[in-house]
Amino acid sequence: RRLSFGGVADLYDQSRPSYPEALVDGVLEYAGAGESDRAVEVGAGTGKATVLFAARGLSVLGIEPSAEMAAVARRNCTEYDNVTIEEVEFERWHPPGREFRLVFSGQAWHWVSPEAGYAVARAALDDGGALAAFWNRPDWSACDLREEIGEAYRRSDRAGDSGDPMNPVARFEDDPWSEGIARASGFGGAEVRSYRWHSDYTTAEYLALLGTHSACLIRDTGDRERLLADVAAAIDDRGGSFRMPYVTLLGLARAS
């Protein structure tokens, strides 16, 4: 599933939201990182988070396993000569030493094998450096269309599947960080922060967003089209647009 995004790399770049600037502030403050410091990004994708940290002056090495996603990231980072994108799985990447002040991952850390991921991150970090992982999540509890979109998923034969944040009725892990980092060696000072914001979507924009999520991508064509049609009808019935409240979760830990 983590490689399923390559086939929709351009759509992903157009439709996926970015991250709050306040989150970048918090990560840099926690890591004690600033201009001229070096950072590794795990799962650079199309460069959504890459450009935010590169714009603050960090030298960013983006690790991305998908050639299609990496190509879009390079295109988005052309104005930053402090960015390099390397096509490799993070678990197979070999850090040159403890040369980095920050390892960060936007929307990708859950795809990394925990057995290898924390060890590789620690091998890359200076003592006192930081590991930061963050995820955008719909805040369905505050969404006016929760019931209507939820009903569209209930009519799907996979309505109860876990692991899909776009499904209002799915079982989903509220904290993807604390349990894993508690078992990782070489890290301390772990914490979780949250940032609330919102985005407005037309019907077409929201369907495009759904089309970039792995839970939608791996459905068979008929099932996917039925689900998207039902979601579209729910939004159209409310006038063709709606506001999605988001919460961005940020997990932090310090290399000890």
Side-chain angles (χ1 to χ4, degrees), residues 184-200:
S185 62
F187 291 96
E191 60 179 273
V192 177
R193 302 178 186 178
S194 62
Y195 303 82
R196 296 189 178 277
W197 52 285
H198 66 264
S199 185
D200 295 321

Side-chain angles (χ1 to χ4, degrees), residues 5-225:
F5 307 105
V8 293
D10 286 315
L11 182 63
Y12 188 106
D13 187 50
Q14 295 162 13
S15 300
R16 285 293 185 103
S18 185
Y19 305 97
E21 287 287 344
L23 178 145
V24 181
D25 294 337
V27 170
L28 296 180
E29 180 181 8
Y30 183 91
E35 289 189 21
S36 78
D37 280 321
R38 301 179 68 198
V40 176
E41 181 180 11
V42 183
T46 63
K48 292 282 185 180
T50 319
V51 297
L52 296 178
F53 286 89
R56 301 297 187 92
L58 274 71
S59 294
V60 180
L61 171 60
I63 305 297
E64 173 53 50
S66 165
E68 297 89 349
M69 299 285 272
V72 178
R74 292 190 184 99
R75 185 180 72 208
N76 287 336
C77 295
T78 51
E79 67 178 276
Y80 299 104
D81 57 10
N82 52 335
V83 172
T84 302
I85 305 295
E86 185 173 339
E87 291 175 31
V88 64
E89 292 182 336
F90 184 66
E91 298 93 329
R92 298 178 182 274
W93 176 64
H94 299 289
R98 295 186 173 182
E99 301 179 1
F100 298 90
R101 190 66 192 169
L102 173 66
V103 174
F104 69 94
S105 182
Q107 216 73 25
W109 188 253
H110 58 292
W111 296 118
V112 177
S113 166
E115 292 77 13
Y118 291 108
V120 175
R122 183 62 189 91
L125 283 168
D126 291 333
D127 290 345
L131 173 61
F134 41 94
W135 297 266
N136 289 328
R137 298 282 180 76
D139 182 4
W140 288 112
S141 66
C143 180
D144 291 341
L145 271 178
R146 178 181 185 178
E147 288 304 317
E148 292 88 341
I149 294 177
E151 183 56 33
Y153 278 87
R154 289 185 186 95
R155 287 195 289 269
S156 167
D157 60 0
R158 296 186 186 177
D161 281 0
S162 61
D164 180 7
M166 308 310 292
N167 181 349
V169 297
R171 302 177 303 277
F172 204 79
E173 185 179 5
D174 292 331
D175 180 359
W177 179 249
S178 298
E179 183 178 350
I181 195 63
R183 296 196 301 265
S185 62
F187 291 96
E191 60 179 273
V192 177
R193 302 178 186 178
S194 62
Y195 303 82
R196 296 189 178 277
W197 52 285
H198 66 264
S199 185
D200 295 321
Y201 292 100
T202 64
T203 302
E205 289 167 344
Y206 191 70
L207 295 189
L209 174 64
L210 289 183
T212 70
H213 280 266
S214 61
C216 187
L217 288 169
I218 65 172
R219 288 173 178 259
D220 65 67
T221 302
D223 184 28
R224 181 170 61 250
E225 290 180 350

